[in-house]
Amino acid sequence: MNWDWNAVRDFMPYFWDGLAVSLQALLLGSLISFGLGLVWALLMRAPTRWIRWPVGIVTEFVRDTPLLVQLFFLFYVLPEWGLTFAALTTGVLAIGLHYSTYTMQVYRAGIEAVPVGQWEAATALNLPVRRTWTAVILPQAIRRVVPALGNYVIAMLKDTPILMAITVLELLGQARLFSQQNFRFTEPITVIGVAFILISYPASLLIRALERRLVR
C-alpha cells in the first residue's frame, strides 16, 4: 500500500467541512428524534384507541422500513407532491423521524419502570394530570433512559454517511469528492474511519459512566 501523507494533509479541509455537516445532522436529528419520540410515547398512552392505533401503525411502519428508503421518499417523492426541502434538511428529517420510533420505545420502557407507588402518590395528592407527568413521572423516566438514548446518538452518527446518497457532503461525501478529484481513496476513507472511532468510542465510555451514575 502506497500511503501518502501529503494526500492526508490535502484532505483535511474537506474533512473539517464534512465533519461540520455530519455533526450538524447528528445534533438536529437527535433533537427531532428525542422530542418526537417522547410525543409518540405519550400518544401511545392516550385513553382512546383512535389515537393509539394510528400512532402505532405509523411508528411501526417507519421502524420496519429501511432508513435509505425513507430518505429517498422524502427527497425524491415528496417534491412530486409539492413538498421540497434542501438535501441536508431532508436528511435531518429522515434521521430524526426514523430514530424517533426507537426512542419512543425507550421512553415507553422508562415510563413503565416508574414505580406504581409514584402514580398512586400523585393521585392521592390530587395532582392534575399535566402536573403528574411533568413533576413526577417524566423526571424519573427520563433519568432512567438517558444511557439508552445516548446509544442511539452513536447509532445516528454512524448513519450520517447515508446522507451522501442525496448529495449531502458529510464526512463520507467529502471523502468521495476528494478521491474523485485526486484519485486517492486509501487516505480519505481511512481518515474518516478513524474519525468515527475517535468520536464513537469516547462517547460510548461517557454513556457507560452516565449509566453507572443515573441507573441505580
Side-chain angles (χ1 to χ4, degrees), residues 72-85:
F72 278 6
F73 182 88
L74 294 177
F75 191 69
Y76 293 110
V77 178
L78 286 189
E80 296 183 1
W81 298 350
L83 294 174
T84 303
F85 303 101

Side-chain angles (χ1 to χ4, degrees), residues 25-203:
L26 173 65
L27 175 61
L28 297 177
S30 297
L31 292 176
I32 292 174
S33 69
F34 293 163
L36 189 56
L38 181 58
V39 171
W40 295 140
L42 294 177
L43 290 177
M44 286 298 291
R45 297 184 65 88
T48 172
R49 63 183 180 179
W50 300 111
I51 295 177
R52 297 195 305 270
W53 283 10
V55 171
I57 292 171
V58 170
T59 55
E60 190 66 28
F61 176 81
V62 172
R63 187 165 57 249
D64 291 345
T65 53
L67 174 56
L68 184 59
V69 173
Q70 297 165 17
L71 186 64
F72 278 6
F73 182 88
L74 294 177
F75 191 69
Y76 293 110
V77 178
L78 286 189
E80 296 183 1
W81 298 350
L83 294 174
T84 303
F85 303 101
L88 179 58
T89 301
T90 302
V92 167
L93 291 174
I95 290 176
L97 175 62
H98 184 78
Y99 276 94
S100 71
T101 61
Y102 292 95
T103 59
M104 175 192 75
Q105 297 297 334
V106 173
Y107 286 124
R108 179 191 59 79
I111 292 170
E112 292 180 353
V114 175
V116 177
Q118 297 295 313
W119 297 88
E120 295 174 345
T123 302
L125 292 172
N126 200 28
L127 292 179
V129 174
R130 182 177 179 181
R131 183 65 175 169
T132 298
W133 279 101
T134 58
V136 180
I137 305 304
L138 288 181
Q140 296 182 64
I142 292 176
R143 178 185 176 90
R144 296 169 184 270
V145 303
V146 166
L149 294 177
N151 288 328
Y152 281 117
V153 172
I154 296 176
M156 279 185 271
L157 172 65
K158 292 188 290 186
D159 270 347
T160 55
I162 205 172
L163 302 187
M164 183 185 68
I166 58 169
T167 72
V168 176
L169 291 178
E170 39 64 63
L171 278 173
L172 185 58
Q174 291 287 0
R176 182 182 181 185
L177 177 63
F178 177 86
S179 298
Q180 291 174 338
Q181 292 176 345
N182 298 274
F183 304 101
R184 300 293 306 185
F185 292 87
T186 301
E187 292 83 4
I189 298 299
T190 302
V191 168
I192 65 168
V194 172
F196 275 109
I197 294 173
L198 293 179
I199 296 173
S200 299
Y201 184 66

